[in-house]
């Protein structure tokens, strides 16, 4: 928690919250993933690894899992905590990483990225990468602290469902986007 708060205070435009995601938010997000059929899972913005830990616990043993974290301190922490996880650096390079790893498409992308604080160009670029990477029927699951992203996601995905949990600091909206 202390590492997270320090990173937020030093770079609030890159770390979107003062605290890691709660176990309640994590549980709600994990419920959305089709664990029995998901062969490839990507996590964007894992931070300290709250979702990473849950993904590793829930995924099939043969499923591939890639985490993409821009912050160098968080990346180092993730590599130490989860040595079996492939950790990459930049969400804008998602499809390049998939090509490098010989992965055609992804079944689920779970994101903790703070889209609301990103410049429009960065947000647009990442969402374009996400959509391109997803297999038909794939899911993009993200949480935000407002409904600001809703219209943009509806334009990009065939169906967008919204959930909510008050048991997080701050409370969070959960977007479940279907390709």
């Amino acid at each position: 928690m202390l590492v997270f708060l320090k990173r937020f205070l030093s770079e609030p435009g890159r770390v979107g919250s003062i605290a890691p995601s709660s176990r309640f938010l994590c549980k709600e997000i994990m419920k959305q993933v089709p664990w029995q059929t998901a062969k490839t899972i990507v996590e964007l913005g894992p931070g300290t690894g709250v979702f990473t830990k849950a993904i590793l616990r829930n995924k099939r043993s043969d499923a591939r899992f890639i985490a993409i974290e821009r912050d160098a301190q968080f990346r180092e922490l993730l590599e130490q905590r989860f040595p079996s996880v492939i950790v990459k650096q930049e969400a804008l390079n998602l499809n390049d990483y998939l090509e490098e790893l010989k992965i055609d498409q992804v079944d689920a992308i779970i994101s903790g990225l703070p889209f609301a604080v990103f410049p429009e160009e960065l947000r647009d670029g990442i969402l374009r990468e996400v959509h391109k990477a997803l297999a038909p029927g794939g899911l993009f699951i993200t949480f935000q602290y407002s409904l600001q992203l809703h219209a943009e996601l509806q334009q990009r995905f065939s169906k967008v469902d919204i959930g909510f949990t008050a048991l997080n600091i701050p409370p969070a909206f959960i977007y479940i986007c279907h390709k």
Side-chain angles (χ1 to χ4, degrees):
M1 171 100 165
L2 191 57
V3 170
F4 205 94
L5 180 59
K6 284 181 183 177
R7 295 306 301 143
F8 174 78
L9 293 174
S10 68
E11 295 199 54
R14 289 175 77 175
V15 179
S17 178
I18 61 168
S21 301
S22 72
R23 63 186 164 95
F24 303 102
L25 176 59
C26 185
K27 182 179 176 185
E28 289 302 312
I29 288 191
M30 294 304 127
K31 281 193 323 192
Q32 307 305 321
V33 180
W35 296 109
Q36 301 80 9
T37 58
K39 295 177 189 160
T40 306
I41 302 157
V42 171
E43 182 181 11
L44 302 178
T48 58
V50 172
F51 294 156
T52 309
K53 185 176 180 180
I55 292 167
L56 288 170
R57 189 172 51 244
N58 285 289
K59 76 175 190 64
R60 296 171 18 168
S61 61
D62 63 338
R64 295 187 77 180
F65 174 40
I66 301 122
I68 300 178
E69 175 57 60
R70 180 183 251 185
D71 185 276
Q73 287 183 332
F74 284 156
R75 247 190 345 271
E76 186 177 324
L77 178 67
L78 291 165
E79 288 167 346
Q80 290 170 0
R81 286 187 69 198
F82 310 107
S84 67
V85 175
I86 298 166
V87 180
K88 298 292 186 176
Q89 181 173 336
E90 178 58 61
L92 287 171
N93 297 334
L94 171 58
N95 286 283
D96 292 338
Y97 298 143
L98 295 177
E99 188 177 318
E100 170 189 310
L101 296 166
K102 300 194 180 350
I103 296 172
D104 291 329
Q105 292 185 303
V106 175
D107 301 300
I109 298 176
I110 298 167
S111 174
L113 295 176
F115 287 105
V117 300
F118 287 172
E120 184 179 346
E121 184 178 296
L122 177 59
R123 183 176 61 244
D124 184 59
I126 293 171
L127 290 174
R128 209 177 4 216
E129 286 287 307
V130 163
H131 195 272
K132 181 179 177 188
L134 280 174
L139 293 177
F140 173 56
I141 306 161
T142 188
F143 68 92
Q144 300 292 295
Y145 304 122
S146 74
L147 292 173
Q148 173 186 344
L149 197 58
H150 189 214
E152 188 168 353
L153 292 174
Q154 282 187 309
Q155 290 174 353
R156 292 177 183 273
F157 293 93
S158 61
K159 180 181 175 193
V160 178
D161 297 315
I162 300 177
F164 180 77
T165 183
L167 300 173
N168 193 66
I169 300 172
F173 292 95
I174 301 163
Y175 293 95
I176 305 98
C177 308
H178 305 257
K179 181 173 178 184

